Amino acid sequence: MSTTKANRRHETQIMADPALPTILIIREFDASPGRVFRAYTDPDLVVQWLGPRRLTMRIDEYDARSGGSYRYVHREDDGTEYGFRGVFHEVRLNERIVQTFALDGFRDGVSLETTVFEDLGGRTRVTTKSVMDSIEARDSMIKSGMQRGVREGHERLDELLSGRQNGNADRRTEMEGLRS
């Protein structure tokens, strides 16, 4: 395998269909679907990787099961907070998560996200498709800088899965569960 190909699978691809209100996010991780799925559903692990590096994260609720819900807050150093919430419609062990996603304060900004965990024989491809209610809403999401946050979150997830995560005083490190 070439270096270029190996590096490419660790790049987060973010694509917006010009004709549809969707965002497609694809990334591969060097871990089994079970380990990656757990990192997406265990709040003690989610808090360690989700979002941009510069923000701290507080989870108010994270019940990752079909019918469960979540709410978390990302916080800037200056105290500015960004709250996110949603409902888990379907959580299928190691295979798929279907959930809504909304930013506090944006009444008409609910999106539907489907995340699929694909077994690549010791690695996992994670594909997330977000569907918004309009192309304008999708474009607004992209203009918000979400790509940087998604890419940094995926880099941090890679670090968590490989045990390379650097300490962050506001984030609890709990690696033992991911190594099993």
Side-chain angles (χ1 to χ4, degrees):
M1 181 178 300
S2 74
T3 302
T4 302
K5 193 171 190 176
N7 289 337
R8 182 149 174 81
R9 72 178 185 228
H10 291 102
E11 292 177 12
T12 299
Q13 300 172 54
I14 301 173
M15 296 161 276
D17 187 319
L20 298 171
T22 60
I23 297 174
L24 188 63
I25 301 169
I26 302 171
R27 176 68 146 72
E28 291 182 21
F29 297 93
D30 290 330
S32 69
R35 291 178 63 212
V36 178
F37 182 86
R38 182 163 177 229
Y40 270 75
T41 56
D42 182 332
D44 289 336
L45 301 174
V46 169
V47 76
Q48 296 179 54
W49 69 267
L50 185 63
R53 292 183 187 278
R54 73 179 198 287
L55 304 178
T56 57
M57 182 179 185
R58 178 187 80 235
I59 293 180
D60 295 335
E61 174 185 14
Y62 207 87
D63 184 12
R65 62 179 174 82
S66 298
S69 60
Y70 68 90
R71 182 173 194 286
Y72 60 85
V73 175
H74 281 137
R75 184 167 198 239
E76 302 268 8
D77 286 342
D78 68 2
T80 304
E81 293 187 339
Y82 311 97
F84 302 90
R85 61 189 153 59
V87 175
F88 292 102
H89 289 263
E90 179 183 20
V91 178
R92 192 181 316 159
L93 184 65
N94 301 337
E95 293 180 20
R96 170 182 156 107
I97 299 170
V98 180
Q99 66 188 62
T100 58
F101 175 86
L103 173 63
D104 287 352
F106 289 87
R107 302 188 326 194
D108 300 327
V110 178
S111 62
L112 179 64
E113 298 182 340
T114 301
T115 300
V116 175
F117 302 83
E118 182 181 354
D119 187 352
L120 302 175
R123 294 183 296 113
T124 303
R125 179 180 297 128
V126 177
T127 302
T128 300
K129 183 175 186 176
S130 297
V131 181
M132 279 131 256
D133 62 355
S134 68
I135 289 177
E136 292 78 19
R138 188 269 321 270
D139 291 347
S140 177
M141 176 77 78
I142 289 173
K143 287 179 184 170
S144 75
M146 56 78 67
Q147 299 103 316
R148 180 177 176 190
V150 169
R151 285 189 172 101
E152 287 181 4
H154 284 167
E155 290 168 5
R156 295 172 63 214
L157 177 54
D158 239 356
E159 294 162 7
L160 180 68
L161 291 167
S162 70
R164 291 179 286 129
Q165 187 177 44
N166 292 327
N168 178 335
D170 297 322
R171 296 178 188 269
R172 196 173 90 181
T173 300
E174 190 173 293
M175 292 303 303
E176 292 305 313
L178 272 180
R179 292 190 176 134
S180 58

